[in-house]
């Protein structure tokens, strides 16, 4: 018995199909890429925080309350 063969229907590609993107679909990734590239190229301008961040204080207080 021969193996069954699957026939696939090939639909013809429509000529002149136009795909349009909104302006922000191109602009937002480009702006994000540029911002990340600037951060990578100028790491010398980064400064350490001088005070404890609020999240760190919150976690510290939570641990103190939980492990009394």
């Amino acid at each position: 018995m021969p193996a069954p063969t699957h026939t696939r229907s090939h639909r013809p590609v429509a000529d002149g199909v136009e795909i349009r993107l909104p302006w922000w679909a191109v602009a937002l990734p480009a702006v994000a890429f540029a911002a990340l590239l600037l951060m990578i190229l100028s790491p010398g301008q980064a400064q350490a925080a001088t005070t404890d961040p609020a999240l760190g204080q919150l976690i510290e207080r939570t641990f103190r309350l939980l492990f009394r």
Side-chain angles (χ1 to χ4, degrees):
M1 175 186 251
T5 58
H6 296 285
T7 58
R8 296 181 184 203
S9 63
H10 294 283
R11 288 187 276 177
V13 177
D15 290 331
V17 174
E18 188 176 326
I19 299 174
R20 300 186 69 191
L21 292 174
W23 66 268
W24 51 265
V26 176
L28 288 180
V31 168
F33 177 77
L36 290 173
L37 187 62
L38 284 173
M39 284 193 284
I40 290 171
L41 293 178
S42 59
Q45 297 177 1
Q47 298 176 2
T50 57
T51 60
D52 289 335
L55 182 60
Q57 291 176 359
L58 178 65
I59 292 172
E60 183 181 345
R61 289 180 184 176
T62 304
F63 279 136
R64 277 194 234 153
L65 286 174
L66 290 174
F67 300 112
R68 280 188 176 184

